[in-house]
Amino acid sequence: MTLTFTNARLIDPETGTDSIGSLTIEDGVITGINTTPTGDVVDCGGKCLAPGIVDIGVKVCEPGERHKESYRTAGLAAAAGGVTTVVTRPDTTPAIDSPEVLEFVARRAREASQVRMIPMAALTKGREGREMVEVGFLHDAGAAAFTDCDRVVTDTKVFARCLTYARSLNALVIAHPQDPVMSKGAAVTSGKFASLRGLPAVSPMAERMGLERDLALVEMTNAAYHADNLSTATALPALERAKAAGLDVTAGVNIHHLTLNELDVGDYRTFFKLKPPLRSEDDRKALVAAVADGLIDIISSMHTPQDEESKRLPYQEAASGAVALETLLPAAMRLYHAGDMDLPTLWRALSLNPAKRLGLEGGQLAEGAPADLVLFDPDAPFVMDRFKLQSKSKNTPFDEQRMQGKVLATYVGGKEVFRKG
Amino acid sequence: MRFDQRHLLGIEHLKPHEITEILDLADQYVDLNRRQVKHSDALAGLTQINMFFENSTRTQASFEIAGKRLGADVMNMAMQASSIKKGETLIDTALTLNAMHPDLLVVRHPHSGAVDLLAQKVNCAVLNAGDGTHEHPTQALLDALTIRRAKGRLHRLSIAICGDIAHSRVARSNIMLLGKMENRIRLIGPPTLMPAGIAEFGVEVFDDMREGLENVDVVMMLRLQKERMDGGFIPSSREYYHRFGLDADKLSHAKPDAIVMHPGPMNRGVEIDGTLADDINRSVIQEQVEMGVAVRMAAMDLLARNLRAKDGLQGVMV
């Protein structure tokens, strides 16, 4: 089947272009750009057509907490959010730390989801930081990367061996850098706001300490390493030095740390409780600048479903995390509308870089690339209503906020998986 | 302008004229409390429930006496022993209580913000009797009343708050209240017991008692919790007493008529010299306890008036 999108504003992160043109797809791949329209024609009316978002670090709560999010609902949310590839986190209960569990989730994903779902595996058994998982088996079974997510491997010998072993298989290790002792029990970032609210706080310095430690071990082992979920300005110079030294290091940030700050917590609003916590406005601005100039490579949703019960608690006791598969694109549009970066730059971080880093197809508008596409209107305004989200859990900090940017249609392998009704 | 609050959750939400209104009414209740027959019917027919999720003898007794003197039906619930242990969430507890139609709910909770959360789910008036390290508004109000009666005013005073600022909800509420009433605030304590970002609070910070107490009108001491005395935040209680304990020598740097305050319970010989605490010419610590009852009576009375004004909405989730 052949389909041509005409009159589309083509956003190509690889060439850095944003121009009106046409794009033809056939049998699930892109076959022509600005060539003579063939097959069915879709007039895009000047709206944006971009590679589908590749979102690394999404939590689907299977196995263990299917009531919070299943592969089916995560797939629907991703499609509605313009996310064509979901890379899932292993911080489930139990953790995805064996080939058997990985096979289970891969099967569930195939059965239940229309978007591409790629699993990651834990780095250590049970994410307990003591023994490494069967990295080889899991790698062969399709684990895209290895990560203990928000749990830091505190034993540096164990972490060094994990990095060394992963290096031998060219496997990517992802960490959320943090000094676990300093950040223990923290609910907000330290500063005036934390002191006013009387909440346990962590200094941004804890993140830099965690990152510096990890980078020293990466230098020692030469492993491929991705520092995800960075949230502070103080961590960035260390990242810059590591990249300048030629280490195989990339970095990521989640959309909330680019669009919200510590003050949004207001009167103990637990939907804004994240891990790491929302930081100062200065941190936010530094992160946005780092994405714009390429120091930070990847933006992700860090989609973390939590049910009402785990959020309707005193702030200290409430669970961390926010759902974001569907709000990632409109939230990212805030950066575009604020003039922080153009759309190709944004898509480099949302689509091209994550695909490249994990060795996946996608992220390009090029002949031969898979027809994973999102058609969206960057300007369409709306007021966020959390109860309209496809996710089972509705814990978005953007509830009732004015947003701009609507997904009109999403295609995975040339197949339409979402169309705005 | 009048007192226009549904709850008393923190000093943060109060306007200066509302603070003055509470204190003016409290002054009247001080007079009532000094009579032989200490009774009013201001809260007659109303139900007051004291919910303490954290141990407290003094504050709970003060709220109980305040309610009883105003004619409320007062009930105490020791929440540590009850449903919380059975895994009930705070919100479920709130909803259960709400169904019993209390009018005034006095809540203490170990977590900051927990009282705010609870107040969103009930339709009675909620008084914060201390939440985590956030606020303790009635303590700040009773301190303000004590200062106003001792100094004849509650503005343009130089006031030192000394000790464990970081973990003190009393300090936070006092900083806010005294700041709103336009006083000069000095915080004195070891840097390990100062909260982050404290310089942005519009206060002066000192780590030397003598320097910090220079020419102040009021010296407020804070309690140092036992669990923070050994090694974690300060080297030892004896070093703390040496450097930060209030004694006659350190106090001599303050104004000759400076008053000494402490929210209690005191650690004599840790944060304050025992003789000084008992010196009726300097210490107003007993007056603070007396003012506590009066201020709580005033706060509950004012909240009950607003409650009655909205009586038509009783029993409906607003």
Side-chain angles (χ1 to χ4, degrees):
Chain A
M1 184 192 134
T2 309
L3 191 64
T4 299
F5 298 91
T6 59
N7 193 20
R9 187 174 157 192
L10 300 176
I11 311 297
D12 185 358
E14 197 162 42
T15 57
T17 53
D18 176 349
S19 54
I20 294 286
S22 71
L23 183 140
T24 305
I25 63 174
E26 193 176 339
D27 296 331
V29 294
I30 298 171
T31 51
I33 292 166
N34 295 329
T35 49
T36 315
T38 48
D40 294 341
V41 170
V42 178
D43 184 347
C44 299
K47 303 301 185 214
C48 296
L49 188 67
I53 294 171
V54 178
D55 189 2
I56 73 166
V58 171
K59 184 170 178 181
V60 180
C61 305
E62 289 187 58
E65 293 176 304
R66 208 160 138 184
H67 63 286
K68 291 187 178 177
E69 191 84 284
S70 68
Y71 275 93
R72 193 183 67 82
T73 53
L76 291 171
V83 177
T84 52
T85 300
V86 169
V87 181
T88 59
R89 299 207 310 256
D91 54 342
T92 46
T93 330
I96 300 167
D97 61 356
S98 70
E100 291 77 13
V101 185
L102 190 86
E103 176 50 39
F104 166 77
V105 297
R107 194 180 65 242
R108 284 286 303 138
R110 274 197 305 275
E111 286 165 6
S113 166
Q114 291 188 298
V115 306
R116 297 179 204 274
M117 294 262 186
I118 312 283
M120 293 192 286
L123 184 63
T124 66
K125 287 176 188 158
R127 299 197 301 130
E128 285 173 353
R130 287 199 289 270
E131 303 161 51
M132 71 175 85
V133 296
E134 292 171 313
V135 179
F137 281 151
L138 285 158
H139 191 61
D140 294 345
F146 294 83
T147 177
D148 278 356
C149 300
D150 62 343
R151 290 212 198 140
V152 173
V153 181
T154 49
D155 187 323
T156 43
K157 274 190 181 168
V158 170
F159 193 51
R161 289 189 198 117
C162 288
L163 288 167
T164 305
Y165 198 89
R167 164 89 181 86
S168 71
L169 293 161
N170 289 322
L172 176 68
V173 173
I174 299 181
H176 300 186
Q178 193 65 228
D179 183 279
V181 180
M182 276 203 95
S183 58
K184 193 167 177 234
V188 286
T189 194
S190 66
K192 183 187 180 189
F193 180 78
S195 295
L196 265 176
R197 288 287 174 271
L199 290 169
V202 58
S203 165
M205 208 53 85
E207 181 172 292
R208 171 166 135 197
M209 289 163 64
L211 182 63
E212 301 254 26
R213 182 204 77 157
D214 286 7
L215 292 174
L217 292 172
V218 170
E219 187 179 328
M220 190 174 96
T221 58
N222 271 317
Y225 172 85
H226 177 69
D228 210 353
N229 230 0
L230 291 185
S231 63
T232 66
T234 187
L236 298 177
L239 178 66
E240 203 166 5
R241 281 196 303 277
K243 285 190 161 187
L247 301 183
D248 188 1
V249 167
T250 50
V253 60
N254 88 60
I255 190 66
H256 303 110
H257 286 110
L258 293 174
T259 50
L260 302 168
N261 69 30
E262 56 175 342
L263 300 180
D264 286 306
V265 170
D267 282 331
Y268 303 98
R269 295 193 288 169
T270 57
F271 279 12
F272 291 82
K273 185 175 181 184
L274 305 174
K275 190 179 176 186
L278 288 171
R279 305 288 188 177
S280 71
E281 180 63 7
D282 287 345
D283 285 314
R284 189 193 72 82
K285 283 184 185 156
L287 293 167
V288 170
V291 172
D293 69 20
L295 177 60
I296 291 181
D297 308 88
I298 295 172
I299 301 172
S300 69
S301 70
M302 213 44 74
H303 181 83
T304 304
Q306 299 289 1
D307 55 12
E308 302 285 305
E309 282 65 38
S310 46
K311 281 288 187 185
R312 285 173 63 190
L313 291 169
Y315 201 85
Q316 274 166 270
E317 293 176 57
S320 303
V323 292
L325 275 169
E326 272 176 271
T327 49
L328 176 56
L329 186 141
M333 285 304 113
R334 288 186 171 182
L335 304 175
Y336 166 65
H337 289 297
D340 293 322
M341 57 192 85
D342 58 21
L343 290 175
T345 305
L346 202 48
W347 249 259
R348 185 181 69 196
L350 285 169
S351 184
L352 177 66
N353 284 346
K356 279 204 302 203
R357 187 51 165 158
L358 271 71
L360 308 171
E361 291 186 308
Q364 298 158 296
L365 292 187
E367 283 179 34
D372 292 359
L373 300 165
V374 53
L375 178 66
F376 66 98
D377 178 347
D379 303 312
F382 69 103
V383 176
M384 180 72 213
D385 175 357
R386 70 189 183 104
F387 294 106
K388 289 191 177 151
L389 293 175
Q390 299 290 331
S391 281
K392 275 194 193 175
S393 297
K394 313 294 182 192
N395 55 306
T396 172
F398 295 111
D399 189 34
E400 294 180 8
Q401 291 200 24
R402 288 160 198 268
M403 306 193 91
Q404 269 182 284
K406 276 187 184 171
V407 175
L408 303 173
T410 307
Y411 299 84
V412 175
K415 188 181 161 210
E416 184 182 289
V417 294
F418 173 80
R419 172 160 292 277
K420 179 117 201 84
Chain B
M1 293 214 287
R2 53 176 288 279
F3 182 82
D4 185 28
Q5 301 281 336
R6 193 179 140 184
H7 307 293
L8 181 63
L9 298 177
I11 299 297
E12 192 184 354
H13 309 288
L14 295 182
K15 297 180 184 71
H17 75 84
E18 291 174 318
I19 293 168
T20 304
E21 199 171 339
I22 298 174
L23 300 184
D24 290 349
L25 183 60
D27 264 329
Q28 296 176 29
Y29 281 124
V30 174
D31 296 339
L32 177 76
N33 288 338
R34 286 179 180 175
R35 283 188 222 142
Q36 202 148 35
V37 178
K38 315 167 178 62
H39 196 81
S40 133
D41 286 327
L43 301 184
L46 301 186
T47 305
Q48 171 193 341
I49 299 182
N50 297 334
M51 276 171 93
F52 280 65
F53 294 89
E54 189 181 80
N55 264 331
S56 156
T57 315
R58 306 157 61 99
T59 307
Q60 189 172 337
S62 184
F63 269 108
E64 186 173 354
I65 290 176
K68 285 185 168 162
R69 287 199 179 148
L70 295 179
D73 298 311
V74 186
M75 192 195 139
N76 289 314
M77 293 182 72
M79 297 309 297
Q80 288 162 306
S82 83
S83 48
I84 287 295
K85 291 266 184 276
K86 296 173 195 161
E88 188 177 64
T89 66
L90 183 64
I91 294 207
D92 285 335
T93 308
L95 293 176
T96 304
L97 275 178
N98 196 52
M100 300 179 197
H101 299 292
D103 303 287
L104 296 155
L105 206 53
V106 178
V107 187
R108 171 169 287 192
H109 198 281
H111 287 150
S112 303
V115 183
D116 294 64
L117 177 68
L118 198 143
Q120 292 164 19
K121 306 292 167 187
V122 295
N123 35 34
C124 59
V126 176
L127 289 100
N128 182 358
D131 64 323
T133 48
H134 178 217
E135 282 233 44
H136 192 355
T138 56
Q139 178 70 43
L141 287 163
L142 76 86
D143 288 341
L145 184 62
T146 310
I147 294 169
R148 199 173 78 166
R149 289 171 70 99
K151 292 282 154 200
R153 67 177 198 272
L154 190 58
H155 56 91
R156 299 180 71 102
L157 292 167
S158 180
I159 298 167
I161 306 176
C162 316
D164 184 0
I165 314 284
H167 301 98
S168 175
R169 53 194 174 212
V170 176
R172 277 175 185 68
S173 289
N174 265 316
I175 291 167
M176 268 183 264
L177 190 153
L178 297 169
K180 283 183 193 215
M181 306 311 279
E182 296 177 10
N183 295 283
R184 247 179 109 166
I185 303 166
R186 304 174 143 212
L187 304 180
I188 314 172
T192 46
L193 294 175
M194 283 292 166
I198 193 69
E200 298 169 50
F201 279 64
V203 296
E204 292 175 88
V205 182
F206 297 86
D207 57 11
D208 180 280
M209 278 290 267
R210 289 172 183 85
E211 210 182 302
L213 290 179
E214 203 61 48
N215 265 325
V216 300
D217 299 288
V218 177
V219 183
M220 300 178 108
M221 301 305 298
L222 296 171
R223 177 179 166 76
L224 184 67
Q225 300 288 341
K226 280 253 176 348
E227 61 267 26
R228 308 204 218 284
M229 285 182 200
D230 299 312
F233 290 87
I234 52 161
S236 70
S237 56
R238 64 180 192 179
E239 179 165 328
Y240 184 81
Y241 181 66
H242 176 71
R243 296 191 60 208
F244 298 100
L246 186 67
D247 55 22
D249 173 54
K250 292 186 191 106
L251 185 60
S252 70
H253 291 260
K255 280 191 185 155
D257 63 347
I259 56 168
V260 174
M261 306 175 73
H262 193 296
M266 276 181 285
N267 295 303
R268 290 169 186 260
V270 177
E271 67 250 358
I272 190 163
D273 172 63
T275 324
L276 190 58
D278 297 333
D279 180 353
I280 54 163
N281 294 314
R282 306 306 295 271
S283 161
V284 293
I285 295 169
Q286 295 307 314
E287 279 86 339
Q288 286 176 273
V289 179
E290 183 188 358
M291 296 309 126
V293 177
V295 148
R296 287 171 181 126
M297 289 165 84
M300 289 197 290
D301 185 357
L302 288 170
L303 288 175
R305 288 181 201 179
N306 288 348
L307 212 57
R308 288 202 167 102
K310 292 171 190 153
D311 209 19
L313 294 173
Q314 278 287 321
V316 182
M317 281 297 259
V318 186

